[in-house]
Amino acid sequence: MRGAILYGPRDVRFEERDAPTIIEPTDAVIRISATCVCGSDLWPYRGISPVAKPTPMGHEYCGIVEEVGSAVTSIKAGQFVIGSFFASDNTCPHCQAGYQTSCQHKEFISTAQAPMLRVPLADGTLVATPDVPSAHLIPSLLAVSDVLGTGWFAADAANVEPGMTVAVVGDGAVGLLGVLSAKQMGAERIIAMSGHESRQKLAREFGATDIVTERGDEGVARIKELTYGIGADAVLECVGTQKSMMQAIRSTRPGGSVGYVGVPHGVELNGEELFFTHVHLHGGPAPVRRFLPELINLVWNGKINPGQVFDLTLPLDQVAEGYRAMDERRAIKTLLRP
Ligand SMILES: [Zn+2]
């Protein structure tokens, strides 16, 4: 089969590689219905996170189970399934506590931009939909696999509750779905920080009530202005830079919470400043598995449509253009169909 392989900065190729097979008895092999390019794929794509050797790419996926190993009991061939970017047993103490991305047996899924995918720990990792979905649901079900799950965790980690004022730093797919998540959790006012018109429009569709175009300290000042000098009750940090993290912390009211899900690149926090902010910080790699049943249900019943973040759909063999379009910010998120 052919799949995406990153060779170095801005060099993604669609090349022949081995088709996956069952290796462990707890594995499943799935036939991918749709996969996509993640904002975090752009870090190695841009050379900010170096790649030492040609590396298969992709960690967002949904599809039909082709085959399962002899020890798999709850997942069956023919089912439509969704999993997260970390395989997890869903039984260890960390999984039981809801932190499946810290599973004692976690394995990163990193070869999903391909027609077929091996998923370890299939029983713990994969969640089946009630039936094989109709085509129009597939983008939204794919979004559940990472971007929605991550935006949802940002809101969950920031303790969003009904009636709150929530600010979202970052207008990528995760930030936009953080807006949707905060709305679902009952936030009354949602301030999306974005300087891009098409993204502002989608943020409003997902539930944003206010848009702040300023960034950094000016963005913080604008949030303070909109909240009568108090700051937001909850702030979702969905970028991962020093600037975005400080913008999030400084936009939060004393006693409020920051949920941070942007993978940090060079972020350093000043202990003394943090001490005097009285802000709760909670984040990390989103334990998407915890939220899969609930989010699949919301999509299945037509309550949410997170698949709107995919504004470019390409056949998988044009994966290189999918990366380029996101790198140049011509696309919010690229969906790839094998
Ligand atoms: Zn576990």
Side-chain angles (χ1 to χ4, degrees), residues 165-169 189-193 223 232-237 251:
T165 294
V166 177
V168 180
V169 180
R189 196 164 180 205
I190 303 173
I191 305 165
M193 308 190 84
I223 298 268
D233 300 307
V235 180
L236 283 48
E237 194 287 316
S251 298

Side-chain angles (χ1 to χ4, degrees), residues 150-216:
T150 296
W152 194 272
F153 176 57
D156 182 86
N159 300 308
V160 173
E161 284 179 21
M164 277 187 173
T165 294
V166 177
V168 180
V169 180
D171 64 358
V174 170
L176 292 167
L177 291 175
V179 170
L180 179 152
S181 302
K183 174 76 178 170
Q184 282 292 312
M185 293 178 193
E188 187 176 302
R189 196 164 180 205
I190 303 173
I191 305 165
M193 308 190 84
S194 171
H196 300 80
E197 208 170 316
S198 61
R199 294 165 191 243
Q200 292 168 3
K201 187 167 167 283
L202 197 48
R204 285 203 186 273
E205 276 183 52
F206 284 149
T209 53
D210 302 79
I211 303 287
V212 166
T213 56
E214 295 87 347
R215 301 177 63 189

Side-chain angles (χ1 to χ4, degrees), residues 265-337:
H265 284 75
V267 176
E268 287 185 15
L269 302 181
N270 177 316
E272 193 180 339
E273 179 178 351
L274 199 55
F275 183 80
F276 285 103
T277 58
H278 269 144
V279 166
H280 300 256
L281 295 181
H282 182 31
V288 175
R289 176 63 184 84
R290 190 205 309 172
F291 309 115
L292 282 181
E294 181 183 3
L295 298 179
I296 289 172
N297 195 40
L298 287 170
V299 168
W300 198 263
N301 294 312
K303 302 270 195 268
I304 55 173
N305 188 11
Q308 284 174 281
V309 292
F310 296 107
D311 54 351
L312 177 65
T313 297
L314 293 173
L316 183 58
D317 60 7
Q318 291 176 35
V319 58
E321 168 56 16
Y323 275 80
R324 263 197 305 277
M326 282 175 64
D327 179 36
E328 294 164 9
R329 288 180 77 92
R330 285 184 279 119
I332 298 172
K333 196 165 175 70
T334 308
L335 185 142
L336 301 163
R337 289 191 187 277

